Amino acid sequence: MKSLPLSPLSLNQLTRDLWGQYDASAIALLAPLADDPCYTIKFYKAPADDDEVMAANAYIAYGMKISPGSIIFGFYLPCVPVAGNLDASAPPAFNVQITDVSMEHKWFDDPVASLFLSNYKPEIQSVVALQTGSFPNLLCAPYPVVGNGLFSVELWETSGEEQRIELVFGVLEVCQ
């Protein structure tokens, strides 16, 4: 008997098929890849560890290479919880522009604010340690990595204060 593929992402109790939200349809696109032995999950972080603490109003351009044939499915952007109010969490304030170098394709017409890349859907919470684990912000459709797999990630710090910026890409990488 054949069964429908079930993505581990659909097990998140906070993800529902609601009008105006595409998480459920994006999960359906990713579901057949969940048990596919040709792909393994990998995370890419921009910027590099040495550059993740950015000065006030700083700009950094970061090059990233992802294996061709891989699929980018979303972003993990940690939110900083506000003490005493776990619902008032927001990501670090910055703008980002992502360019697929081999395709000469900018992902956004103009650099976008980090708020549009975060997805604060907590899966776990610890009030004592103020720690949360969050579901990824899924792209509306998986993005295939073609050509040489080079990406340019440009970051602009916009809070006016020194802060740590960690933009993590969720990727299904081709097993070699």
Side-chain angles (χ1 to χ4, degrees):
M1 178 177 186
K2 239 182 174 180
S3 65
L4 292 173
L6 176 69
S7 170
L9 296 174
S10 65
L11 300 177
N12 179 8
Q13 70 273 13
L14 297 175
T15 300
R16 298 288 181 257
D17 192 3
L18 300 174
W19 181 85
Q21 295 183 355
Y22 54 80
D23 277 357
S25 59
I27 289 170
L29 291 171
L30 294 168
L33 302 173
D35 294 322
D36 192 330
C38 295
Y39 291 95
T40 184
I41 192 165
K42 189 165 182 184
F43 301 102
Y44 291 85
K45 183 173 74 87
D49 291 344
D50 298 341
D51 298 325
E52 68 184 17
V53 176
M54 292 182 66
N57 304 312
Y59 165 82
I60 187 170
Y62 178 74
M64 184 169 61
K65 181 168 176 50
I66 299 175
S67 301
S70 299
I71 297 170
I72 302 172
F73 63 83
F75 302 102
Y76 292 84
L77 183 57
C79 290
V80 180
V82 176
N85 186 1
L86 293 178
D87 293 330
S89 300
F94 64 92
N95 289 346
V96 63
Q97 177 63 270
I98 302 164
T99 305
D100 187 337
V101 175
S102 62
M103 300 291 291
E104 297 179 9
H105 170 70
K106 290 185 183 266
W107 281 28
F108 315 110
D109 291 335
D110 292 316
V112 298
S114 59
L115 191 60
F116 294 111
L117 301 181
S118 68
N119 192 10
Y120 189 65
K121 291 184 179 178
E123 293 176 335
I124 58 166
Q125 285 188 335
S126 170
V127 178
V128 176
L130 283 177
Q131 295 177 341
T132 60
S134 188
F135 190 75
N137 181 4
L138 299 174
L139 298 174
C140 58
Y143 188 87
V145 178
V146 297
N148 56 16
L150 294 177
F151 289 85
S152 170
V153 181
E154 297 174 278
L155 300 165
W156 292 265
E157 197 287 325
T158 59
S159 73
E161 298 177 3
E162 181 179 276
Q163 64 177 333
R164 179 180 308 277
I165 295 177
E166 301 171 298
L167 179 60
V168 179
F169 292 73
V171 176
L172 292 172
E173 189 171 73
V174 176
C175 296
Q176 297 178 4

